[in-house]
Amino acid sequence: MRVARFSTQDADPRFGVIDDEDIVVLKADPMFAGYETTGERVPLADARLLAPVIPRSKVVCVGMNYGAHAKSMDWDTDGDPLIFLKPNTAVVGPGDPIRIPPVEGRIVHEGELAVVIGGVGKQVKAKDWESIVFGYTIANDVSARDQMFADGQWARAKGYDTFCPLGPWIDTEIDPSDLQITTYVDGEVRRTGRTSEMLHKLPELIEFITDVWTLLPGDVIVTGTPDGLGSFEHGQTVDIDIEGLGRLSNPALFRDPR
């Protein structure tokens, strides 16, 4: 099942289930209210897809979770997963611009599988990881790469507004264990890999993360990027395909006049 958050003609956002070329409109957010429908169908072509979820508290990101990427960054992969946070104000949806702030150095895309949390998770055991998962979507963990190293920590470099595109919808049934991830800039392949190449798999990640932070419904875990050439510039478009999940596409624009 594919759950979308959408608007039509500048109306308030609504939720629906995608059924071929239509969206079956739901009465409320299915994460909290189930799948009762209004009886209305909206052509998908007439809808503007929005970020499928606005995290209630946080986006949890996993760094250096693919071996080739970690090696290219000269990062030691032994030990626990590397986790950090993005604020929920970084989230934007399909087609929304990634706003490049006035900082020196590279702005980098990181196409990643995102896990949408559907229940309260605290100290969840690896064997029970699926009990708190609502579904899966695509994320772009945008980074001001040179700022990461200049600051010595990642909060500012990865936390700018618009630095976490999500979409186009949430798939509640897909098997996330071995999906192809491909990132393009203006149609050119820049990163590619499979989710089966993750160093820390989803059960381990959820056990580890929920021992640190309580996860709430609507929170998102962004699980790491494969290796590749990551930078992009004003005027370019970043597309991320994940097998079975669709495509997330966002243009890049300067935040301020240049």
Side-chain angles (χ1 to χ4, degrees):
M1 183 182 298
R2 288 179 167 176
V3 176
R5 181 171 166 267
F6 71 98
S7 66
T8 53
Q9 298 179 341
D10 297 322
D12 290 339
R14 293 184 286 174
F15 290 88
V17 173
I18 295 178
D19 181 23
D20 293 328
E21 299 301 316
D22 289 341
I23 300 176
V24 179
V25 181
L26 300 175
K27 287 189 173 181
D29 184 343
M31 193 177 298
F32 303 99
Y35 292 94
E36 187 176 359
T37 69
T38 66
E40 181 183 0
R41 298 176 74 94
V42 173
L44 187 56
D46 295 342
R48 178 179 175 234
L49 294 179
L50 308 173
V53 61
I54 300 296
R56 293 176 66 188
S57 65
K58 55 192 171 292
V59 178
V60 180
C61 297
V62 183
M64 309 301 173
N65 200 27
Y66 286 75
H69 178 56
K71 184 177 180 180
S72 72
M73 298 287 286
D74 196 27
W75 194 273
D76 184 356
T77 57
D78 292 335
D80 292 331
L82 170 66
I83 58 174
F84 58 95
L85 298 173
K86 283 180 181 275
N88 56 10
T89 50
V91 172
V92 292
D96 291 333
I98 300 166
R99 294 290 182 178
I100 299 175
V103 297
E104 296 295 327
R106 297 164 294 165
I107 305 297
V108 174
H109 56 73
E110 298 186 12
E112 311 191 13
L113 175 71
V115 182
V116 180
I117 300 303
V120 176
K122 184 176 179 64
Q123 297 177 326
V124 177
K125 298 301 183 186
K127 65 181 178 62
D128 300 321
W129 72 278
E130 289 180 296
S131 67
I132 64 165
V133 172
F134 181 73
Y136 307 90
T137 190
I138 303 171
N140 188 353
D141 173 17
V142 180
S143 311
R145 177 61 56 78
D146 297 283
Q147 194 174 80
M148 288 170 56
F149 301 115
D151 285 359
Q153 52 82 29
W154 299 0
R156 181 166 67 121
K158 287 178 170 285
Y160 282 102
D161 288 352
T162 77
F163 270 26
C164 190
L166 294 175
W169 40 64
I170 300 168
D171 192 306
T172 63
E173 297 175 355
I174 197 167
D175 179 353
S177 61
D178 187 28
L179 304 175
Q180 181 74 31
I181 304 176
T182 308
T183 301
Y184 307 82
V185 174
D186 286 349
E188 177 186 350
V189 175
R190 294 291 186 86
R191 295 183 189 269
T192 187
R194 302 193 70 85
T195 57
S196 56
E197 298 166 1
M198 288 183 193
L199 299 174
H200 303 283
K201 311 298 186 185
L202 298 186
E204 177 189 356
L205 289 176
I206 286 179
E207 180 173 77
F208 182 78
I209 291 166
T210 61
D211 192 59
V212 180
W213 300 303
T214 298
L215 294 175
L216 302 178
D219 285 350
V220 174
I221 300 173
V222 180
T223 57
T225 187
D227 194 34
L229 300 173
S231 61
F232 62 96
E233 300 176 349
H234 168 83
Q236 294 185 310
T237 297
V238 181
D239 295 314
I240 302 166
D241 287 348
I242 297 185
E243 180 183 0
L245 281 177
R247 170 170 286 203
L248 173 64
S249 181
N250 298 90
L253 298 173
F254 286 137
R255 188 186 73 185
D256 306 310
R258 300 290 177 102

